[in-house]
Amino acid sequence: MITPSEAIALQKRLRRSVSRRWDGRPVRLVGAADVHFPGRGRSRAALVIMTFPGLETVESIAADSPTAFPYIPGLLSFREIPPILEAWKRLERIPDLLLCDGHGTAHPRGLGFASHLGLVLDLPTIGCAKSHLFGAFEEPGPERADRSPVRDRSGRTIGSVLRTRAGVRPVFVSTGHRIDLRTAVRFVLACSPRHRIPIPLRLAHQSAGRI
DNA sequence: GCGACAG
DNA sequence: ATCTTGTCGC
């Protein structure tokens, strides 16, 4: 199995291939991926495919596999991508866009889980994390859609702290692959009409957790 | 050296 | 992520 130092070297190599360009193709199917760890060295990945903008489920699958990599901050993709690929094999509908539970380019080496998965699947991906990992930011306003930039040490914007619902903690949105931040924020808001977490991700989370 | 640290 | 139900608060 790959070692942490090898994983870091791979991230530095792969980051150059990440794109922040949105091709503008219409999004009719939005997907979401999430992974749970029940214990005993097992992983359970869930994929949910929904129509967009209607957000009606058209496919939901889950797949179990052995856990082959530990959780190490900054190396999440090496733990979660293998289980997701196992589920991906059985997927019948390929989404036009995939929401991921974690950061994209708002990462120490610019290659978070969402970006890595986007490269592997060659699909537009968005990172939507529930908490902070990397970068400086200010608390956004209290209303839905209020946001503030997340910046790296050079001051470059690498993500957005977005309030998806008034009065709740914001989520951290960043580009995964083949999308720009503005568009990513637009899709996250469109997928979060009433809850903090985008509906596709909520469902994937439930699917992965349910036995 | 010290603190931070997605899920 | 996981151990875990009801309950406090807007």
Side-chain angles (χ1 to χ4, degrees):
Chain A
M1 180 49 63
I2 187 172
T3 66
S5 63
E6 291 173 334
I8 289 175
L10 180 56
Q11 290 181 323
K12 292 177 179 176
R13 178 148 42 92
L14 292 178
R15 68 177 300 175
R16 301 195 301 268
S17 303
V18 174
S19 168
R20 296 193 189 222
R21 290 286 181 265
W22 167 245
D23 59 25
R25 273 186 277 182
V27 172
R28 298 193 175 80
L29 291 179
V30 186
D34 191 35
V35 184
H36 274 230
F37 300 89
R40 308 182 313 284
R42 303 299 296 174
S43 299
R44 186 183 189 74
L47 291 171
V48 171
I49 306 299
M50 309 184 83
T51 59
F52 186 87
L55 299 182
E56 297 192 352
T57 303
V58 296
E59 190 174 347
S60 178
I61 60 177
D64 292 320
S65 59
T67 300
F69 198 84
Y71 169 68
I72 300 174
L75 299 180
L76 180 66
S77 63
F78 295 90
R79 178 176 172 80
E80 304 206 343
I81 286 182
I84 289 175
L85 294 184
E86 208 53 47
W88 191 265
K89 294 175 183 173
R90 308 177 193 168
L91 199 62
E92 296 181 5
R93 322 269 315 244
I94 303 304
D96 300 300
L97 179 67
L98 186 65
L99 293 171
C100 305
D101 190 9
H103 294 90
T105 51
H107 175 278
R109 291 168 292 281
L111 194 88
F113 169 56
S115 300
H116 195 163
L117 183 58
L119 279 178
V120 171
L121 299 177
D122 187 23
L123 210 69
T125 54
I126 293 174
C128 183
K130 296 181 290 298
S131 63
H132 169 74
L133 170 66
F134 179 76
F137 67 95
E138 298 298 321
E139 184 75 10
E143 301 305 319
R144 169 179 154 80
D146 280 346
R147 75 211 70 173
S148 58
V150 176
R151 299 190 175 85
D152 63 15
R153 296 184 180 84
S154 302
R156 178 180 180 181
T157 296
I158 56 175
S160 180
V161 190
L162 175 68
R163 192 86 64 184
T164 50
R165 177 179 177 171
V168 302
R169 289 195 303 152
V171 294
F172 293 74
V173 180
S174 59
T175 58
H177 182 46
R178 293 175 51 183
I179 199 165
D180 57 83
L181 185 56
R182 185 68 91 192
T183 303
V185 166
R186 179 164 68 77
F187 277 114
V188 168
L189 278 175
C191 290
S192 314
R194 44 186 275 214
H195 298 291
R196 178 169 94 110
I197 303 302
I199 290 178
L201 273 178
R202 296 183 96 235
L203 295 180
H205 192 275
Q206 293 178 358
S207 174
R210 175 181 176 180
I211 300 177

